[in-house]
Amino acid sequence: MSKLVLTGVGCRFGDVAAVDDLSLAMVSGEFVSLLGPSGCGKTTTLRMIAGLLHPTSGTITMDGAVISSPGSSLPPEKRNMSMIFQSYAIWPNMTVAENVGFGLEIRRFSRADIRARVDQILEVVHLGHLRDRYPSELSGGQQQRVALARAIVVQPAVLLLDEPLSNLDANLREEMRYEIRRLHDEFHITTVYVTHDQAEAMVTSDRIAVMNQGRIEQVDAPRTLYARPRTRFVAGFIGRTNFLDGEVHGDKVVFDHFTIPRARFPEAGSLHGRVSFSLRPQSIHLHRVQVPQRSLGADEGACVIAGRVVQRAYLGEHWDYAVRPLDSALQLRVTARPHEVFEVNESVWLELDPGQLAHIHDKVAHPG
Amino acid sequence: MRWRHLDRSLLLWLLAAGVLVALVANPIARLLWTSVQGTGGLTLDNYVTAFSRWRYVEALGNSLILGLSVGALCAVFGVPMAWAVSRTDMPGKGLVWIAVLGTFIVPNYLSAVAWILLAGPNAGWLNRSWTALTGAAAGPFNIYSMPGLVLVVAASSFPYMFVFTRSALDLISSEMEDAATTLGAGLWRTTLRVTLPLTLPAILAAFIVAFLEAIAIFGAPALIALPGRFQVVTTMLWQFFEFPPKVEVAAAYAMPLLAITVLLFWLQQRIIARKGYIALTGKGGERRMVRLGRWRWVVLGYCVFVTSLSFFLPMLVVLQAAFAKAWGRGFSLDNLTLHNLRFVLVDQPLTRAATVHTFVYGGVAAVLALVLALAIAYIVRRGLVPYGRVLSYVAMAPFVIPGIVLAIGFYASYTSPPLVLYGTAWILILAFTTRFLPIAYANSDAALRSINPELEDAVRILGGGRLLALRRVVGPLLKRGLAGAFILVFIPATRELSSAIFLCTAGTQVLAVLLFDKSDEGNFEYLSAIGLILVAGTVAMVLAGFRLVGRDFMLRRTAT
């Protein structure tokens, strides 16, 4: 278990900056995901941590020692790390046991010791009965488990995973997410996990670093990331959301044909000029009759706004409504439970909690 | 601390790059350098000497005539056969396929020997049959002539035309032809206006290859043109090397050959690269065979005729001669003997040694070429040294150097200090290695491309170095592909004549050179026996290749 610190790391390929001034500090035993769309630099970052790519600026340190810098990088074989690749990279010319035992062999463990450890880890990933099979005889999920076992058995200082589940079918993918988290809870290896799938990141990670165009937009625990996204990109990338743009006028924030008292926002003090918020569809509730007057304009509770349903879709687990506040050009997406049925064109009341309006700091410098 | 950051395998990669540059660049540089050497320093006198005599210029002209005629005759031979095999319901396609493969296997100089037996003035089988049938005093055929040479070279080079055209035809979907048919075009019109134009780039590319093969070839012209009292460039170059060797003039005289080859290969690559015109999408769609009806027997007849010229008749007379006491006495039991084969393989120390040399040199050269090619392909693919792409061009460069020109470069490089290899086996082995390096490189590169780099990354991240990754993962995975590549280098290396002829000495004879030397004596039974040994060795390797790699492995060479 090791402390991994990236400071101002950049990687340029010709004129293109794949990773740009990226900083991230991980504590020992932490599980951090790098989450972002394809081409955002997350795999490049991971490969730099592995030593398979060299940064063109910045440094990477492990337990205080510089392992990567533009001048020279410690080759991957001397970093005591493990990596799970998108292709699994299971060696087709070796059996399951030979694959898993390879790292131990390099570390000069005795033959008996290798055998014992391999058998033990294969039990952990439920592959004990397949130890003498060749990879071509295994299913995708089983190959994935071999890759996991091979990476973990050497007890690396850092475990790196590069989109390890992207080649599996949906059910298996869901199962393996929990498997990966279970193994982390068991072995507490410092882990960096690259994915473009937010659900994967949410299930597995202690913290998620959302990346966009070579930079980290926000690093936070999954719940914080979802509830309080700090940039428009993060809000849009993690789950679905509504963006509300308004302007501060005295003690009110004026939106398109409705206002909310400024004091009601958690960050009231820092709001001025033009402001933007992200509001999750689940944070809005629809009512057929107006909720008691007590909440309107008061300092506590929800705000209620009159509106009209413009579109709806039934998705089984929930309703998806598009509602337009009266006279407003804005369309809000609202998620409602299956029994909350409203017709298109029906007049409704939108109830929203200003406490759940997350202030978007797009002009703010990148954190870290 | 920094020394830990150094990847020590880097030294190995730099070494491989150094060997490659020395092997390929040195002979070419020395060739150019030698061509401007005079007694008093730099001079263009050699060029003046080389191109001021009518005899020398005429040989150049003859080579051009030979190349163009061979290209055209190859098209006449190969294109209809390719169409018949690819697009029609002609019977006996398997037979045609075997005959084409057989043609690949027979070296051109053996084909020349066979055609001397077939169409030599008076004594040739065809002439004797003619006089027997017609009662004429003399037969009409004389192989010792330009048309004779064109026939022999075209018959041994037409497989290029066949393979190129066929793979182009295989990619044209029937839908394209149907489009013409629905507009009212008949079979012949569709074939001539749609199918043929679509394959034209492939035909043109094959024409260039056949042309280049014809002007670079040494064996067949030496056996046919010299007795026929005319010269081509390669036989002229050979005469410059008769004692006392005029290496400087030879180097200058080789320049047009080199220039034409480089230029035409460049042109050929341009033609192949123009995919837009060819419209070969690769998907192809559904393909139906053209029904020929009664015509299919005519088409088959043509295929049999061509392959008889290229394979069946030559092999028949070579076999007869190899096992005959005297080939002129014809096919009869009392004429049969194993004496020729035994004489070549066992009794005569010179030929016995040559047999061993042939296969040992070929084998060593193939291994060297493969190791070097693999190292270079690896360096380039994994980007291990800066400007790696340059190395891939260097490795492919010998492809555009005629063997005879390369041999002159080797001769110029290694007959004088600092490194004297002339007279040893190494000059032959290194020349073969260099000459067939492109085959090894193209195959190694293709094999490496099929290996996901993550397989090596996985070794490294677990603590193994690059070399361990190569030994434990890449090596075992490449085994099959490299076995095929080994055979593809080994076969031409065992038969190579045009570079060996300049580099052999008394102690380092190989069979191809021996066959050529013995041709002066007119003992065709021995020549045939030597040729048969070479063919048998090749067939054994090809069969091994089929077992290891699959039926299409011979064709990969031409696909590059």
Side-chain angles (χ1 to χ4, degrees):
Chain A
M1 282 182 281
S2 295
K3 212 175 130 177
L4 192 65
V5 180
L6 286 75
T7 314
V9 171
C11 185
R12 302 184 72 87
F13 298 107
D15 287 340
V16 187
V19 173
D20 191 14
D21 192 23
L22 180 145
S23 296
L24 175 69
M26 293 176 62
V27 298
S28 254
E30 194 179 21
F31 194 125
V32 171
S33 284
L34 302 179
L35 175 65
S38 58
C40 73
K42 53 192 192 301
T43 295
T44 305
T45 307
L46 193 76
R47 291 178 72 82
M48 282 192 286
I49 297 172
L52 296 167
L53 273 179
H54 308 304
T56 47
S57 59
T59 56
I60 301 174
T61 60
M62 192 160 80
D63 296 330
V66 175
I67 53 172
S68 285
S69 64
S72 78
S73 290
L74 192 67
E77 59 264 31
K78 290 175 184 159
R79 297 191 169 208
N80 192 24
M81 294 183 180
S82 281
M83 183 159 170
I84 293 174
F85 297 87
Q86 202 166 355
S87 65
Y88 314 147
I90 305 295
W91 302 303
N93 54 321
M94 301 182 204
T95 63
V96 168
E98 285 167 351
N99 263 283
V100 175
F102 190 85
L104 298 173
E105 204 182 305
I106 289 173
R107 285 164 177 72
R108 302 191 188 288
F109 281 65
S110 75
R111 196 168 296 178
D113 208 4
I114 291 176
R115 206 192 149 83
R117 283 168 192 256
V118 167
D119 285 348
Q120 189 202 345
I121 198 75
L122 285 178
E123 286 310 318
V124 173
V125 297
H126 314 300
L127 284 177
H129 57 298
L130 298 175
R131 71 185 309 282
D132 296 318
R133 292 274 187 91
Y134 279 93
S136 55
E137 302 166 314
L138 303 181
S139 70
Q142 288 166 336
Q143 292 189 17
Q144 179 63 68
R145 286 164 196 276
V146 175
L148 270 171
R150 185 176 73 183
I152 291 172
V153 74
V154 296
Q155 299 181 338
V158 176
L159 177 63
L160 308 170
L161 300 98
D162 181 13
E163 305 248 8
L165 307 184
S166 59
N167 291 326
L168 300 179
D169 65 51
N171 286 333
L172 204 54
R173 197 151 48 198
E174 203 160 315
E175 183 191 326
M176 290 304 294
R177 284 175 200 157
Y178 291 102
E179 183 80 7
I180 287 171
R181 181 67 212 186
R182 178 177 73 84
L183 290 170
H184 183 258
D185 290 339
E186 190 168 338
F187 296 99
H188 303 290
I189 301 169
T190 309
T191 304
V192 185
Y193 187 107
V194 159
T195 182
H196 63 269
D197 181 326
Q198 51 154 318
E200 260 174 43
M202 297 280 231
V203 170
T204 54
S205 315
D206 297 323
R207 284 195 299 158
I208 298 174
V210 179
M211 290 186 67
N212 184 31
Q213 296 183 339
R215 291 165 170 269
I216 291 184
E217 296 257 336
Q218 185 174 356
V219 197
D220 265 312
R223 282 191 62 179
T224 319
L225 209 58
Y226 187 81
R228 314 294 318 167
R230 293 169 60 87
T231 67
R232 202 169 274 266
F233 177 81
V234 173
F237 192 75
I238 309 275
R240 303 179 318 149
T241 200
N242 295 294
F243 288 111
L244 305 178
D245 300 319
E247 210 168 338
V248 181
H249 286 293
D251 60 351
K252 281 183 186 147
V253 180
V254 181
F255 296 96
D256 191 0
H257 289 87
F258 62 92
T259 58
I260 295 174
R262 179 177 174 178
R264 304 286 304 280
F265 290 93
E267 294 143 316
S270 66
L271 299 180
H272 31 72
R274 297 183 147 278
V275 286
S276 297
F277 298 91
S278 152
L279 180 62
R280 300 292 180 190
Q282 296 88 331
S283 304
I284 307 175
H285 298 288
L286 295 182
H287 299 282
R288 197 158 266 126
V289 293
Q290 191 176 0
V291 234
Q293 193 64 30
R294 62 163 170 85
S295 33
L296 251 188
D299 284 351
E300 297 279 323
C303 297
V304 181
I305 303 160
R308 187 180 291 279
V309 175
V310 272
Q311 213 177 54
R312 67 172 191 179
Y314 179 63
L315 296 170
E317 289 179 13
H318 58 84
W319 278 99
D320 211 359
Y321 290 106
V323 183
R324 176 172 294 162
L326 278 190
D327 304 321
S328 172
L330 205 61
Q331 253 189 40
L332 296 174
R333 302 173 74 174
V334 181
T335 305
R337 283 173 291 173
H339 65 270
E340 298 172 316
V341 185
F342 299 89
E343 301 300 324
V344 171
N345 275 330
E346 194 178 338
S347 292
V348 290
W349 295 92
L350 292 147
E351 179 194 2
L352 43 95
D353 174 8
Q356 298 193 31
L357 280 161
H359 183 200
I360 300 294
H361 307 242
D362 256 347
K363 297 287 180 282
V364 175
H366 292 276
Chain B
M1 196 57 201
R2 278 294 158 89
W3 64 268
R4 284 192 70 210
H5 289 207
L6 187 74
D7 186 352
R8 262 158 293 176
S9 65
L10 191 65
L11 293 175
L12 193 69
W13 309 132
L14 290 176
L15 179 73
V19 170
L20 173 77
V21 171
L23 216 48
V24 176
N26 189 27
I28 299 174
R30 287 296 283 263
L31 183 76
L32 295 171
W33 179 244
T34 305
S35 77
V36 292
Q37 285 297 296
T39 42
L42 293 186
T43 173
L44 286 176
D45 285 356
N46 299 319
Y47 286 87
V48 174
T49 315
F51 301 109
S52 59
R53 279 208 211 168
W54 172 241
R55 219 159 67 84
Y56 299 167
V57 180
E58 192 187 25
L60 262 174
N62 281 340
S63 272
L64 289 181
I65 294 169
L66 176 67
L68 291 171
S69 315
V70 164
L73 193 54
C74 280
V76 172
F77 284 166
V79 174
M81 277 181 69
W83 176 76
V85 169
S86 174
R87 309 312 306 267
T88 74
D89 62 346
M90 181 188 75
K93 287 182 187 175
L95 183 80
V96 173
W97 158 256
I98 288 173
V100 170
L101 193 62
T103 309
F104 255 131
I105 285 170
V106 180
N108 71 77
Y109 44 85
L110 185 60
S111 189
V113 168
W115 272 96
I116 292 169
L117 299 178
L118 278 166
N122 305 322
W125 285 107
L126 294 178
N127 284 324
R128 282 201 280 164
S129 312
W130 179 270
T131 48
L133 284 172
T134 62
F141 305 110
N142 179 10
I143 200 67
Y144 299 118
S145 62
M146 182 56 98
L149 182 58
V150 169
L151 175 72
V152 170
V153 178
S156 68
S157 317
F158 93 91
Y160 293 112
M161 187 62 79
F162 176 82
V163 169
F164 274 55
T165 313
R166 197 192 147 180
S167 37
L169 283 169
D170 280 350
L171 286 174
I172 299 172
S173 74
S174 295
E175 286 164 16
M176 280 187 229
E177 292 166 337
D178 290 347
T181 319
T182 52
L183 291 172
L187 170 64
W188 292 113
R189 194 192 269 250
T190 306
T191 302
L192 288 179
R193 293 290 302 279
V194 177
T195 317
L196 209 60
L198 281 173
T199 45
L200 208 57
I203 295 173
L204 213 55
F207 184 94
I208 292 176
V209 172
F211 176 89
L212 293 176
E213 175 100 345
I215 62 169
I217 216 167
F218 173 75
L223 288 163
I224 289 170
L226 292 182
R229 292 173 187 282
F230 62 99
Q231 296 271 8
V232 293
V233 170
T234 47
T235 54
M236 207 65 231
L237 282 171
W238 163 241
Q239 301 216 322
F240 285 131
F241 267 74
E242 306 231 293
F243 198 80
K246 297 187 271 289
V247 187
E248 294 82 10
V249 180
Y253 192 70
M255 285 305 153
L257 193 58
L258 186 62
I260 290 174
T261 312
V262 172
L263 198 72
L264 285 183
F265 264 117
W266 174 78
L267 190 67
Q268 190 225 16
Q269 291 302 311
R270 291 277 310 253
I271 293 171
I272 290 177
R274 278 183 61 190
K275 292 229 168 69
Y277 173 72
I278 319 177
L280 303 181
T281 51
K283 279 180 96 179
E286 190 212 3
R287 298 198 314 113
R288 269 174 292 105
M289 294 297 165
V290 176
R291 292 179 163 277
L292 287 176
R294 232 176 296 166
W295 281 94
R296 63 204 172 116
W297 299 109
V298 178
V299 175
L300 177 64
Y302 183 73
C303 292
V304 171
F305 168 70
V306 172
T307 49
S308 295
L309 298 185
S310 75
F311 179 65
F312 293 116
L313 286 179
M315 268 329 276
L316 185 70
V317 294
V318 164
L319 273 172
Q320 190 267 345
F323 291 104
K325 287 173 184 151
W327 69 273
R329 280 167 55 196
F331 298 84
S332 68
L333 274 179
D334 66 329
N335 193 23
L336 273 180
T337 175
L338 284 174
H339 169 78
N340 303 319
L341 275 177
R342 211 179 57 217
F343 179 79
V344 172
L345 279 175
V346 187
D347 294 350
Q348 241 244 7
L350 185 68
T351 55
R352 205 174 56 208
T355 310
V356 175
H357 291 163
T358 299
F359 293 101
V360 170
Y361 298 172
V364 175
V367 169
L368 288 181
L370 217 54
V371 169
L372 185 60
L374 194 61
I376 300 300
Y378 187 78
I379 294 172
V380 175
R381 282 244 158 243
R382 301 288 184 261
L384 297 180
V385 297
Y387 307 109
R389 286 242 66 92
V390 176
L391 292 179
S392 75
Y393 293 126
V394 176
M396 287 307 284
F399 195 63
V400 297
I401 304 169
I404 202 159
V405 177
L406 189 72
I408 297 171
F410 262 81
Y411 185 93
S413 303
Y414 302 114
T415 40
S416 53
L419 191 53
V420 181
L421 294 177
Y422 188 71
T424 70
W426 284 107
I427 195 165
L428 284 161
I429 292 172
L430 291 182
F432 294 167
T433 305
T434 309
R435 181 139 156 70
F436 303 111
L437 191 63
I439 300 174
Y441 185 79
N443 280 278
S444 303
D445 192 49
L448 266 182
R449 198 162 35 205
S450 69
I451 291 185
N452 190 335
E454 289 190 346
L455 290 174
E456 293 160 56
D457 293 344
V459 171
R460 301 196 64 200
I461 198 78
L462 282 173
R466 260 192 200 284
L467 299 180
L468 188 79
L470 283 175
R471 203 175 72 233
R472 291 289 298 274
V473 175
V474 179
L477 293 179
L478 285 179
K479 244 189 258 163
R480 264 166 59 96
L482 292 187
F486 172 87
I487 293 169
L488 287 179
V489 178
F490 182 76
I491 291 173
T494 54
R495 306 152 26 139
E496 173 67 0
L497 174 65
S498 52
S499 55
I501 194 84
F502 290 92
L503 305 174
C504 263
T505 43
T508 57
Q509 287 271 22
V510 292
L511 284 177
V513 175
L514 194 70
L515 185 144
F516 176 70
D517 286 349
K518 292 257 179 215
S519 68
D520 284 351
E521 302 165 13
N523 190 333
F524 287 100
E525 291 81 8
Y526 288 159
L527 295 190
S528 298
I530 295 173
L532 200 63
I533 293 166
L534 274 174
V535 169
T538 307
V539 169
M541 292 311 291
V542 170
L543 292 179
F546 284 173
R547 281 198 65 124
L548 279 169
V549 193
R551 239 171 72 110
D552 66 330
F553 93 105
M554 280 287 285
L555 303 182
R556 278 194 216 149
R557 177 175 55 161
T558 49
T560 51

